[in-house]
C-alpha cells in the first residue's frame, strides 16, 4: 500500500491517511524531507507531545459552509454527550457564536484564532449579545456551556487539543497522516480527531477543483458511528463519490 500511495502522491494526488501502527511514518518523513518541510504532515499522540490542532485557523481566512459546520459539530461533540439532544435554541445560539467569532477573525488581524480566543469571546462579548437578545437560561445555559468546555480552555486538562501553536492549514498539504493507535479508544480525543480529518478532506473536495483527492480510512468508523455525528457525516457525504 505504501508503494501505491507514493505513486498517487508523485502524480499530484492530495492524500489523507488514517493510520494504525506507524505504517506510513517512513513515507511521510521521506516526503517531508524531499519537499523541504512543505509537505508530509504527520499527526500522532504521545504523552510528551500530545496531538494538537487549531480548527479556527485558515491561511486565507475563508470559512465556507462546511468549515462552519465542522467547527459547530466539533464543539457540540465536546459539549453534549451522545445521549443528550441539542435543542433548536441551543443550536441557533451556538451557530450565532461561531459565525460571529469567525467574522471577528476576518476583521481583526490582531486576533489569534484558537479555541482559547473563541472561549473568551463567548465568555465576554457573546454574553452581552445574548443579554441584548433576551436569551433565557433555559434556552441556552451559557454558564453550563462554559463549564463543560473549560477543560479545553487555557489551563484545562485538554487545553492543548484545539490550541495548537503551529498555524497549519492542511488545504494545500498533499500528504497528511493521522496516526491514531494511541487514541482510537479515547472517548474525547478520537471523536475530535475524526471531525478534524473529515473537515480537512471535505475542504479539499470543495475547494481544490480538478485535483485528485484520496482518503484512506482504516479504523475511524467507531468514532464516525457516534450518534452525535451521524447528521454531520450525512452532510459531508453529499459531495463525495465513493469508488470501489
Amino acid at each position: 500500500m505504501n508503494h501505491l500511495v507514493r505513486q498517487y502522491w508523485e502524480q499530484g494526488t492530495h492524500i489523507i491517511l488514517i493510520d494504525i501502527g506507524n505504517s506510513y511514518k517512513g513515507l511521510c518523513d521521506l516526503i517531508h524531507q524531499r519537499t523541504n518541510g512543505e509537505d508530509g504532515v504527520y499527526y500522532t499522540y504521545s504523552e510528551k507531545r500530545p496531538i494538537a490542532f487549531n480548527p479556527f485557523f485558515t491561511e486565507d481566512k475563508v470559512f465556507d459552509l462546511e468549515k462552519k459546520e465542522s467547527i459547530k459539530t466539533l464543539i457540540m461533540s465536546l459539549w453534549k454527550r451522545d445521549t443528550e439532544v441539542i435543542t433548536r435554541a441551543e443550536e441557533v445560539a451556538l451557530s450565532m457564536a461561531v459565525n460571529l467569532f469567525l467574522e471577528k477573525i476576518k476583521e481583526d488581524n490582531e486576533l489569534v484564532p484558537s479555541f482559547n480566543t473563541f472561549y473568551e469571546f463567548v465568555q465576554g462579548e457573546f454574553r452581552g449579545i445574548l443579554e441584548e437578545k433576551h436569551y433565557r437560561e433555559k434556552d441556552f445555559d451559557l454558564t453550563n456551556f462554559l463549564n463543560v468546555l473549560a477543560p479545553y480552555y487555557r489551563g484545562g486538562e485538554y487545553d492543548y487539543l484545539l490550541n495548537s501553536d503551529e498555524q497549519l492549514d492542511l488545504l494545500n498539504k498533499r500528504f497528511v497522516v493521522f496516526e491514531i493507535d494511541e487514541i482510537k479508544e479515547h472517548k474525547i480525543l478520537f471523536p475530535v480527531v475524526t471531525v478534524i480529518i473529515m473537515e480537512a478532506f471535505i475542504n479539499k473536495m470543495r475547494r481544490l477543483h480538478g485535483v485528485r483527492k484520496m482518503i484512506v480510512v482504516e479504523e475511524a468508523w467507531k468514532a464516525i458511528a457516534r450518534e452525535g455525528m451521524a447528521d454531520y457525516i450525512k452532510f459531508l457525504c453529499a459531495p463525495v463519490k465513493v469508488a470501489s
Side-chain angles (χ1 to χ4, degrees):
M1 189 65 176
N2 263 267
H3 181 65
L4 178 63
V5 168
R6 179 174 177 175
Q7 282 187 324
Y8 274 113
W9 179 79
E10 289 175 343
Q11 293 168 8
T13 303
H14 278 244
I15 302 167
I16 291 180
L17 282 146
I18 306 172
D19 185 26
I20 297 289
N22 295 301
S23 307
Y24 298 93
K25 181 69 166 65
L27 178 56
C28 192
D29 287 346
L30 176 64
I31 290 172
H32 189 80
Q33 184 178 20
R34 281 181 55 180
T35 60
N36 296 316
E38 292 298 315
D39 202 0
V41 180
Y42 198 86
Y43 287 105
T44 189
Y45 177 91
S46 68
E47 291 293 336
K48 292 183 178 180
R49 190 175 180 181
I51 197 165
F53 308 97
N54 187 350
F56 294 93
F57 175 77
T58 62
E59 290 179 352
D60 54 10
K61 294 190 176 183
V62 172
F63 300 99
D64 58 15
L65 179 61
E66 284 76 24
K67 182 66 174 178
K68 292 176 182 178
E69 286 297 321
S70 73
I71 292 174
K72 287 189 288 184
T73 299
L74 183 60
I75 294 171
M76 270 192 270
S77 70
L78 299 175
W79 176 28
K80 296 284 188 178
R81 296 180 183 274
D82 288 348
T83 54
E84 293 179 296
V85 178
I86 186 168
T87 67
R88 178 60 179 159
E90 289 174 330
E91 186 178 355
V92 169
L94 178 57
S95 293
M96 182 166 49
V98 169
N99 290 336
L100 288 174
F101 182 67
L102 296 182
E103 286 301 317
K104 196 174 180 69
I105 290 173
K106 293 179 185 178
E107 296 168 0
D108 186 354
N109 291 327
E110 299 299 317
L111 178 64
V112 178
S114 68
F115 182 80
N116 282 339
T117 50
F118 171 74
Y119 188 94
E120 290 162 0
F121 167 77
V122 173
Q123 194 175 39
E125 188 175 333
F126 189 65
R127 185 190 298 273
I129 293 171
L130 290 178
E131 291 173 357
E132 288 178 7
K133 292 183 176 294
H134 305 292
Y135 255 78
R136 298 170 298 179
E137 185 176 303
K138 70 175 185 177
D139 293 327
F140 182 73
D141 189 341
L142 182 60
T143 300
N144 170 265
F145 180 79
L146 292 171
N147 285 340
V148 172
L149 295 181
Y152 310 97
Y153 177 62
R154 187 179 293 109
E157 182 179 3
Y158 300 105
D159 64 352
Y160 58 85
L161 186 58
L162 302 175
N163 294 293
S164 174
D165 292 331
E166 187 178 9
Q167 303 287 38
L168 186 62
D169 188 350
L170 299 180
L171 178 64
N172 294 308
K173 304 299 182 183
R174 290 202 299 110
F175 196 85
V176 184
V177 179
F178 294 86
E179 202 288 318
I180 60 172
D181 201 20
E182 293 296 321
I183 64 169
K184 63 181 184 292
E185 301 297 334
H186 200 290
K187 293 182 179 180
I188 292 175
L189 298 182
F190 194 22
V192 169
V193 172
T194 300
V195 174
I196 296 290
I197 293 169
M198 298 307 292
E199 189 274 328
F201 183 66
I202 204 67
N203 196 32
K204 291 177 181 291
M205 291 292 296
R206 287 291 195 186
R207 299 187 59 190
L208 300 178
H209 302 292
V211 177
R212 179 187 288 167
K213 301 94 177 172
M214 175 180 178
I215 184 167
V216 179
V217 181
E218 292 188 2
E219 290 191 33
W221 305 115
K222 184 179 293 185
I224 290 173
R226 289 183 64 191
E227 183 178 347
M229 294 187 183
D231 289 340
Y232 178 62
I233 298 303
K234 183 179 179 181
F235 173 80
L236 288 183
C237 284
V240 179
K241 293 181 180 179
V242 179
S244 58

